[in-house]
Amino acid sequence: MERVRMGVLGCADIAWRRMLPALAAHPSVDVVAVGSRDPAKAAAFTGRFGGEPVTGYEAVLDRSDVDAVYVPLPPSLTADWARRALRQDKHVLCEKPMTGSAREAAELRDLARDRGRVLFENYMFLCHPQHRLVDDLLAAGRIGRLRSLTAEFTIPGKPADDIRHRRDLDGGALTGIGGYPLRTALRYLGPGLDVAGAHLGPDPHTGVDTDGAALLTAADGTVAQVAFGLRHAYRGRYELTGSEGRITVPRAYTPPADHPAVIHLERDGAREELTVPPHDQFRTVVTDFVEGVRSGAPVPSPLAGDALVEQARLVEAVRAAARR
């Protein structure tokens, strides 16, 4: 396969701002169709990014000239349309959260494997090389043994009609942005984390959670504290504290593609600033996805495989702990 022919199911803001520019600019991708329940939205997207505007999502899946689909739908719809796409032998790149159910995540993972399709959940920050530098620092023992992690992702308030405020679309802080710090904990502490406690703060008018926090523990005793919110000043960072030092990643989740990323290392009373060259994490997601589609083999990506199930299990466990 020389080029991957992409269809798009939905016209979300992240698709317009981030993923469609990356897809349309990639030399190995053709955007051939954009589906929306609103024909005007589909036409606006294809006017900018190319392809044919299509009314509805099923019509995109029915096309023989679509090899793969990008699914930027609300949380309540993502898993269902990912399943439909896989059953029609389309590769799937879906926005997070793919699902908040570990059982459903396992079903989708297995369906993709059985069909020989690529299934990515777009936690794009995992594709930025600044986190590999953190890996190198940990492996070199620069902060000693890892003892704890803190991770925060908060954003300013959105308009009342934003999907994050829609209970009927599974909106809320946990589904909207809480997955980022949770995925950070999984990345560094590994699978099988227990939720020792959690809180989700509901909005009395919308019924969705607008902020939350959780305390996680690993089998070896390492602890993670995560926090997230929809009505806060912007913050997107994590910090790893070890027996001999500390690593801080101040722009962990949305580093600008045209600016170097900065990592702070503290040890023995000294502070060192390390930089990573500018990198477009959205383009890397597309490149990895395309390579998986072309190879026809399981993709060694943090956006695929068992990590999808572990992420959903942790979200499920946080929600259950908050209810208790």
Side-chain angles (χ1 to χ4, degrees):
M1 181 184 295
E2 290 300 316
R3 299 173 69 83
V4 175
R5 299 170 297 178
M6 292 289 301
V8 181
L9 308 185
C11 297
D13 180 61
I14 190 172
W16 178 267
R17 292 185 300 106
R18 300 298 187 188
M19 284 309 301
L20 261 297
L23 286 166
H26 200 280
S28 298
V29 171
D30 289 323
V31 177
V32 300
V34 177
S36 174
R37 295 173 179 176
D38 182 344
K41 284 186 177 180
F45 269 66
T46 55
R48 179 182 176 189
F49 303 113
E52 181 181 343
V54 176
T55 301
Y57 309 139
E58 193 68 51
V60 177
L61 299 183
D62 288 339
R63 294 176 65 116
S64 61
D65 61 348
V66 169
D67 306 309
V69 293
Y70 168 54
V71 187
L73 291 172
S76 62
L77 302 176
T78 303
D80 180 47
W81 284 102
R83 182 183 298 106
R84 295 188 194 197
L86 291 169
R87 285 176 175 167
Q88 295 199 42
D89 290 326
K90 312 296 187 187
H91 303 273
V92 178
L93 167 59
C94 67
E95 277 305 331
K96 67 281 169 196
M98 184 178 72
T99 175
S101 161
R103 175 192 58 78
E104 191 168 50
E107 290 175 356
L108 291 169
R109 175 203 60 193
D110 294 345
L111 179 59
R113 288 176 177 173
D114 293 344
R115 297 274 183 168
R117 303 294 100 175
V118 177
L119 173 62
F120 272 21
E121 183 179 26
N122 192 23
Y123 280 104
M124 62 285 174
F125 79 93
L126 296 170
C127 294
H128 197 286
Q130 66 176 332
H131 311 294
R132 291 197 295 273
L133 175 56
V134 175
D135 292 338
D136 293 341
L137 295 173
L138 290 171
R142 296 294 300 277
I143 64 168
R145 182 174 177 179
L146 181 61
R147 299 297 190 190
S148 65
L149 174 150
T150 60
E152 303 168 80
F153 194 20
T154 59
I155 61 175
K158 296 290 184 180
D161 60 349
D162 189 273
I163 63 169
R164 295 177 182 87
H165 299 304
R166 294 274 302 275
R167 189 173 184 178
D168 59 318
L169 297 179
D170 290 343
L174 177 58
T175 55
I177 59 173
Y180 288 82
L182 290 174
R183 192 55 163 260
T184 304
L186 287 173
R187 189 186 192 283
Y188 291 108
L189 274 61
L193 297 177
D194 289 327
V195 179
H199 169 75
L200 295 175
D203 184 292
H205 303 292
T206 64
V208 303
D209 52 284
T210 55
D211 52 76
L215 177 64
L216 317 173
T217 59
D220 65 358
T222 309
V223 175
Q225 299 178 67
V226 303
F228 41 92
L230 296 176
R231 51 188 182 185
H232 304 62
Y234 177 85
R235 193 170 179 86
R237 67 185 293 280
Y238 67 80
E239 186 173 275
L240 302 169
T241 299
S243 57
E244 300 173 24
R246 180 177 292 108
I247 298 167
T248 303
V249 182
R251 198 69 184 265
Y253 306 125
T254 59
D258 55 352
H259 285 74
V262 177
I263 292 173
H264 300 143
L265 172 65
E266 299 175 58
R267 180 186 170 100
D268 298 329
R271 181 184 175 93
E272 184 178 353
E273 190 172 277
L274 309 172
T275 60
V276 178
H279 185 87
D280 186 345
Q281 58 192 16
F282 292 92
R283 181 182 174 87
T284 300
V285 169
V286 177
T287 296
D288 291 352
F289 184 75
V290 167
E291 290 179 357
V293 172
R294 283 174 163 178
S295 71
V299 183
S301 168
L303 308 184
D306 293 341
L308 309 183
V309 181
E310 191 62 25
Q311 174 75 9
R313 184 198 68 80
L314 190 53
V315 170
E316 204 170 33
V318 168
R319 195 178 298 282
R323 287 179 182 145
R324 292 195 300 268

